[in-house]
Amino acid sequence: MSPPLLSFWRAVAAILVLVASGARAEGLRRFALIVGNDEGGDDTRPLRFARDDARKMHGLLARLGGVAPGDAKLLLNESSKDFLAALTELEARAREARARGERTALLVYYSGHAKDGTLRLGNSRVGFEDLKKRLSATSADIRIAILDSCRSGALTRTKGARKAPAFQIESGAERDSRGLVILTSSSADEDSQESDALGGSYFSHHLASGLLGDADRSGDGRVTLFEAYSHAYARTVADTAASSGGAQHPTFSYDLAGNGDLVLTDLRAAGDGLVVPGLAPSGTYYFVDSAGMVVAELDKAPDLERRVALAPGTYRVKRRLSDRLRIGEVEVARGRQVVLEEARLRDAPFSDDPVKGVASAEGAWWTVGLSGGVQSFFDAPTRESLFLSVGLLGAEAQLHDYFRRDWVWGVDVALGGKQALLALPTLSGPAYKYSVMSLGTTLKSEWPRGSIAPFVGVRMAYLVMRRDFADAAYPDQKYAMFSPGLETGLRWQPLRRLHVTGRARLHYLLYTVDEQRSLGFWELGALVTYQP
């Protein structure tokens, strides 16, 4: 038997003994630190899905894992300093809860780069041994670390602590109803892997799918730590066996004396989800969101009812047969358990597979939105007589991560105008309407730091400016010219699909009035966009 399998079955035997001899660790005050970081420093390529994996785990633990919103911390592309500061805060809160007589559990989840025995958060580091000692000393009754450590590759990109020291916890001699468990996505000498089709890492996907219900083999509506791990282990090994990176073997290190098995998620907690009845055909069911990503899987045995705790929304359902698919659509309503009816599924050819995934060269995403701002020219006489300062309203579409990771290409249109009186050295008084139309395109680079992303880029705009006089005795005037420029600003993502951007633009233009002239202008604006 290979060493990874031998370690796995030793862990299985030890936990089964604990389950048989101890009560379940329930009634816990649960704290969670969820960290996702796509950046691993200057010598690594950015990951695609580490932040997404962290967002999914954060939402899942809040909805089904008994973690109150105020007891969870979500860090996206933050540094090791932020990581340790958040851990310190949660440790202090757990210590206060224990002082009040509460039993406590602290869960730390990390998805990102690891190399040479350290977690790589951008250009900062957290050592494996340092984290091990920190968790060992934490006063929480139960401590769980889930490490999906990774580095990027191609279509199925490898990610992980390549040839890093083993991260293991030895069984301690102290038996005081305290415990430390560490789950890792791969063994010490293996790479972990991401999947474009799954929109995340294999390990985190199968762990999350298990916590949503696929790992509930007992059918009691609760997923325990052991059920979740054994499910993620089996599915990760199976899915990566034929990949270019080779089979990936998650590991389970433990010192869980006197606690029994821990319930990680309660499928009944949210009150909503999907039930696959016992009479439904057996097989593997896939649940696909509107983006074509598999959010959960369910392995259905004959005559056994299964439950998957899907969040409210619309999902495509797929079950693969030998020569065709069975597909359909189901709506999960908030607070309701929906039963999947076989009659609502239809036969379809494999070409109609709803699982589209994200092509390796096409992992792009769109945002569309509305903008507002002000445009003004630097030269005061020109600003007062020829090109006036005006407010602008516009619309914009942006394509992210298409040409290169964290590059954004945008196209925009904006309109503005005002009523004015002509003011020239030789003539004043006639009223006119001044209007501006701007058509532009921008290519910029972002540097995401959690929910904040500063950026800088280059821009080209085509400006059309008009003066339309109320008095027909004065001819209307029109100016049209190209204007190159620069753009900088900050994008903030307060919600998963909502982005708010503040920006400044600096432009230069040539124009001819009696002779060729040049001047510059600036724009300040804000943009609110939605990510479909």
Side-chain angles (χ1 to χ4, degrees), residues 56 197-199 286-296 310-317 329-330 354-358 496-497:
K56 293 173 188 175
L198 296 176
Y286 299 88
F287 302 95
V288 185
D289 66 12
S290 58
M293 296 298 179
V294 178
V295 296
L310 295 172
T314 301
Y315 300 90
R316 300 289 299 279
V317 182
E329 189 171 277
V330 63
V355 182
K356 302 302 182 186
V358 182
R496 179 173 175 79
R497 296 187 179 275

Side-chain angles (χ1 to χ4, degrees), residues 23-265:
R24 291 181 183 274
E26 297 177 344
L28 293 173
R29 174 80 176 275
R30 298 166 184 247
F31 301 88
L33 174 58
I34 312 299
V35 182
N37 199 312
D38 291 323
E39 304 294 333
D42 297 334
D43 59 341
T44 65
R45 293 179 58 188
L47 297 172
R48 291 276 296 283
F49 304 117
R51 285 178 293 175
D52 290 340
D53 286 339
R55 290 188 187 101
K56 293 173 188 175
M57 189 61 63
H58 176 263
L60 194 154
L61 291 174
R63 196 167 64 89
L64 303 173
V67 181
D71 292 339
K73 292 284 186 181
L74 175 63
L75 302 183
L76 302 176
N77 274 18
E78 302 288 355
S79 68
S80 61
K81 180 179 179 180
D82 300 311
F83 179 102
L84 296 174
L87 182 57
T88 298
E89 179 181 342
L90 291 178
E91 287 172 333
R93 298 184 65 179
R95 191 161 51 247
E96 293 170 359
R98 289 195 77 219
R100 294 191 297 268
E102 299 180 69
R103 282 180 53 75
T104 58
L106 173 63
L107 185 147
V108 177
Y109 169 90
Y110 171 82
S111 180
H113 281 282
K115 189 177 181 181
D116 300 329
T118 62
L119 304 181
R120 309 272 297 257
L121 295 94
N123 285 315
S124 62
R125 308 285 185 267
V126 175
F128 282 173
E129 287 300 317
D130 294 335
L131 181 58
K132 168 184 169 179
K133 293 176 183 177
R134 180 73 173 262
L135 292 175
S136 297
T138 297
S139 62
D141 293 291
I142 298 176
R143 290 136 285 147
I144 303 170
I146 302 174
L147 305 178
D148 194 347
S149 304
C150 45
R151 61 183 302 173
S152 61
L155 174 65
T156 300
R157 46 187 59 78
T158 58
K159 52 174 219 160
R162 190 185 292 268
K163 299 190 183 305
F167 192 8
Q168 299 174 348
I169 301 297
E170 299 80 14
S171 295
E174 188 178 9
R175 304 296 180 188
D176 61 351
S177 294
R178 288 168 52 79
L180 173 60
V181 177
I182 295 180
L183 281 64
T184 67
S185 60
S186 59
S187 62
D189 58 351
E190 293 177 336
D191 293 331
S192 298
Q193 301 170 44
E194 284 186 324
S195 166
D196 290 322
L198 296 176
S201 81
Y202 285 104
F203 175 74
S204 285
H205 169 78
H206 289 304
L207 179 64
S209 182
L211 292 173
L212 284 170
D214 199 16
D216 181 26
R217 297 299 177 178
S218 66
D220 64 355
R222 301 183 299 179
V223 178
T224 67
L225 175 63
F226 172 67
E227 284 179 323
Y229 168 72
S230 57
H231 172 84
Y233 178 93
R235 295 305 303 271
T236 300
V237 172
D239 278 6
T240 57
S243 70
S244 60
Q248 172 186 332
H249 299 83
T251 68
F252 188 111
S253 301
Y254 61 92
D255 179 4
L256 196 59
N259 286 299
D261 205 2
L262 174 68
V263 174
L264 288 184
T265 55

Side-chain angles (χ1 to χ4, degrees), residues 465-481:
M465 303 175 179
R466 293 183 59 91
R467 290 200 291 191
D468 296 304
F469 289 91
D471 190 339
Y474 298 93
D476 295 336
Q477 296 176 318
K478 176 180 176 182
Y479 306 91
M481 70 285 287

Side-chain angles (χ1 to χ4, degrees), residues 404-443:
R404 187 175 176 180
R405 177 74 173 185
D406 292 325
W407 279 27
V408 183
W409 174 56
V411 292
D412 60 86
V413 58
L415 301 172
K418 64 190 300 185
Q419 297 291 332
L421 296 176
L422 188 63
L424 297 175
T426 58
L427 180 64
S428 62
Y432 67 94
K433 179 182 179 181
Y434 175 77
S435 61
V436 176
M437 182 182 72
S438 171
L439 297 173
T441 182
T442 306
L443 182 64

Side-chain angles (χ1 to χ4, degrees), residues 258-386:
N259 286 299
D261 205 2
L262 174 68
V263 174
L264 288 184
T265 55
D266 187 338
L267 308 183
R268 305 157 298 183
D272 40 44
L274 186 91
V275 174
V276 182
L279 295 178
S282 60
T284 302
Y285 291 74
Y286 299 88
F287 302 95
V288 185
D289 66 12
S290 58
M293 296 298 179
V294 178
V295 296
E297 303 173 24
L298 196 64
D299 190 10
K300 168 73 169 58
D303 302 320
L304 180 64
E305 180 178 287
R306 298 298 305 276
R307 180 187 292 109
V308 56
L310 295 172
T314 301
Y315 300 90
R316 300 289 299 279
V317 182
K318 180 185 85 166
R319 188 175 76 251
R320 188 182 181 92
L321 305 178
S322 60
D323 59 347
R324 66 191 186 283
L325 300 172
R326 290 285 287 166
I327 62 174
E329 189 171 277
V330 63
E331 179 78 23
V332 177
R334 187 173 302 277
R336 292 181 54 197
Q337 290 279 346
V338 180
V339 176
L340 178 63
E341 300 175 3
E342 180 67 17
R344 299 182 62 180
L345 305 183
R346 61 178 176 85
D347 287 338
F350 290 131
S351 58
D352 287 349
D353 194 337
V355 182
K356 302 302 182 186
V358 182
S360 61
E362 299 178 2
W365 48 281
W366 283 94
T367 56
V368 292
L370 300 175
S371 64
V374 61
Q375 180 189 88
S376 185
F377 287 77
F378 288 109
D379 183 70
T382 303
R383 186 172 64 239
E384 295 169 358
S385 63
L386 189 59

